[in-house]
Amino acid sequence: MERQVLLNEPEEAAALYRGLSRQPTLSAACLGPDVITQYGGRYRTVHTEWTQRDLERMENIRFCRQYLVFHDGDSVVFSGPAGNSVETRGELLSRDSPSGTMKAVLRKAGGTSPGEEKQFLEVWEKNRKLKSFNLSVLEKHGLVYEDDCFGCLSWSHSETHLLYVAEKKRPKAESFFQTKALDISGSDDEMTRPKKPDQAIKGDQFVFYEDWGENMVSKSTPVLCVLDIESGNISVLEGVPDNVSPGQAFWAPGDTGVVFVGWWHEPFRLGIRFCSNRRSALYYVDLTGGQCELLSDDSLAVSSPRLSPDQCRIVYLRYPSLVPHHQCSQLCLYDWYTKVTSVVVDVVPRQLGENFSG
């Protein structure tokens, strides 16, 4: 009898886990523009992304689902799902344009190893793919960041440019003992010629680059990149301080520049996944002059900045740096025009009665 119990317990545990794995987890959501129907009704589309464990495929799958929320301006009249869920295979990031007429999708294709993986940035319009850009072929940068710490995919307010974060392109490296075919056309002054930009650097193939730690391996030096949708040109923004890594970026009001969070490299990069309260600050880079402006206190830690719909204010989370992991944070508001920062919701040390616990 005891032996039968020992055999059944793993099966019961496996059945329980299989049932729990069928429950999806919400990973992201975004709100679409306000739409007015011909009969005067108003609604918004809520785009949600979910993750679920597929035990047969032994991987986590992602799927999206949309909801329609009808409202009268003050309250929700009706809400419900629109259509069925659709798996987003190979989709790393996606973002609807401000008007809701287009959608940008970062998709991966190819093998699983870093050398074989290719990334494509697609622009969809209604029910057709408008444009597709092979970022791996353009070689302006390394792999695009798709994580929730640095990664972002932001439309400009004019819907003509896309902003994202990618790994900085490093020069090619090779061994000192790499043999090449002899170039008999070279002259005696070949040694005095300047090196080509894409010429490999000898002896640097094993140089160590510090990365950001767990789940962020091979992510060391992120850069801000802008894609011109019409021309297909990609430019790496200049003006970001060398001692910080940019991320969580979005377009400033009027598309005059880019607002981003910059994390200090010192004292170390490792472990940002589970110790997010690193010294960091909010910055603004002007696109015309390339000047970088500090928008918050650079002795604290900030994260999750968002621009208000009227493009007048920025809200973000602020908390002390280098303290125990995931400390309570303040909800702060930065006025774009008055340059004044105020605390919307402060940290509550202890809940009193039924009051808000912070």
Side-chain angles (χ1 to χ4, degrees):
M1 187 65 181
E2 294 180 356
R3 183 178 181 181
Q4 185 178 1
V5 172
L6 292 176
L7 291 176
N8 289 337
E9 283 184 352
E11 296 176 357
E12 294 176 358
L16 177 61
Y17 180 75
R18 183 178 295 274
L20 294 176
S21 65
R22 295 192 181 101
Q23 304 301 320
T25 302
L26 180 65
S27 58
C30 62
L31 195 63
D34 195 9
V35 180
I36 301 178
T37 65
Q38 59 179 345
Y39 302 106
R42 301 173 60 184
Y43 71 91
R44 285 179 178 267
T45 302
V46 180
H47 177 83
T48 61
E49 296 181 1
W50 304 74
T51 58
Q52 182 178 340
R53 184 65 179 175
D54 191 326
L55 297 180
E56 282 69 27
R57 287 159 52 177
M58 297 299 293
E59 62 181 1
N60 293 326
I61 62 173
R62 297 176 57 191
F63 63 91
C64 65
R65 192 173 189 179
Q66 290 190 347
Y67 296 85
L68 293 179
V69 180
F70 290 87
H71 64 93
D72 57 7
D74 297 325
S75 60
V76 175
V77 178
F78 171 79
S79 63
N84 297 322
S85 302
V86 179
E87 182 179 355
T88 55
R89 188 172 182 84
E91 187 175 301
L92 301 177
L93 291 173
S94 65
R95 183 66 60 188
D96 290 330
S97 63
S99 65
T101 58
M102 293 186 292
K103 182 178 182 179
V105 176
L106 175 66
R107 195 181 307 276
K108 69 175 180 179
T112 56
S113 61
E116 299 176 354
E117 181 180 332
K118 296 181 180 179
Q119 291 183 330
F120 296 84
L121 192 53
E122 305 169 349
V123 177
W124 291 77
E125 182 184 39
K126 299 297 182 181
N127 296 319
R128 68 188 180 108
K129 184 188 293 185
L130 189 62
K131 289 191 176 183
S132 180
F133 305 94
N134 189 342
L135 302 180
S136 304
V137 172
L138 297 177
E139 295 186 345
K140 292 289 186 176
H141 49 71
L143 291 178
V144 179
Y145 285 30
E146 81 290 350
D147 58 89
D148 55 0
C149 180
F150 294 95
C152 66
L153 184 59
S154 177
W155 283 87
S156 62
H157 303 292
S158 60
E159 300 188 359
T160 57
H161 294 76
L162 286 170
L163 170 68
Y164 58 92
V165 177
E167 181 68 15
K168 183 179 180 180
K169 182 182 178 181
R170 297 195 184 108
K172 297 179 181 179
E174 63 181 20
S175 170
F176 280 113
F177 310 102
Q178 184 79 23
T179 57
K180 292 184 178 180
L182 181 62
D183 186 7
I184 60 176
S185 62
S187 59
D188 295 337
D189 59 343
E190 184 177 358
M191 298 298 295
T192 61
R193 295 178 183 175
K195 292 185 178 181
K196 298 180 180 179
D198 57 347
Q199 187 173 355
I201 301 177
K202 291 184 177 293
D204 282 2
Q205 74 273 31
F206 297 120
V207 171
F208 172 73
Y209 294 95
E210 184 185 28
D211 56 40
W212 286 97
E214 301 93 328
N215 295 335
M216 307 286 284
V217 177
S218 74
K219 296 180 179 179
S220 175
T221 311
V223 291
L224 299 175
C225 304
V226 174
L227 168 67
D228 188 321
I229 298 176
E230 182 63 28
S231 64
N233 293 329
I234 296 178
S235 57
V236 178
L237 297 187
E238 299 180 354
V240 178
D242 295 333
N243 63 322
V244 300
S245 287
Q248 300 182 12
F250 58 88
W251 293 89
D255 294 337
T256 58
V258 171
V259 179
F260 66 92
V261 176
W263 286 268
W264 260 252
H265 298 158
E266 299 294 337
F268 46 76
R269 285 180 170 90
L270 297 176
I272 194 173
R273 167 64 66 182
F274 303 107
C275 184
S276 57
N277 44 318
R278 300 293 186 86
R279 184 185 177 187
S280 52
L282 204 62
Y283 291 90
Y284 165 72
V285 172
D286 183 77
L287 293 182
T288 56
Q291 300 296 324
C292 188
E293 179 183 353
L294 183 66
L295 303 182
S296 66
D297 190 343
D298 61 354
S299 64
L300 302 174
V302 301
S303 67
S304 306
R306 299 291 187 272
L307 183 65
S308 62
D310 59 3
Q311 301 184 26
C312 295
R313 301 169 184 85
I314 298 175
V315 292
Y316 61 94
L317 300 177
R318 183 178 69 183
Y319 34 87
S321 61
L322 296 179
V323 293
H325 299 184
H326 303 301
Q327 282 286 291
C328 295
S329 58
Q330 297 173 315
L331 180 63
C332 297
L333 184 145
Y334 175 82
D335 192 294
W336 184 257
Y337 296 100
T338 63
K339 311 297 183 183
V340 175
T341 301
S342 58
V343 177
V344 180
V345 179
D346 204 347
V347 175
V348 180
R350 182 178 295 274
Q351 179 184 4
L352 300 177
E354 297 181 354
N355 295 331
F356 179 57
S357 58

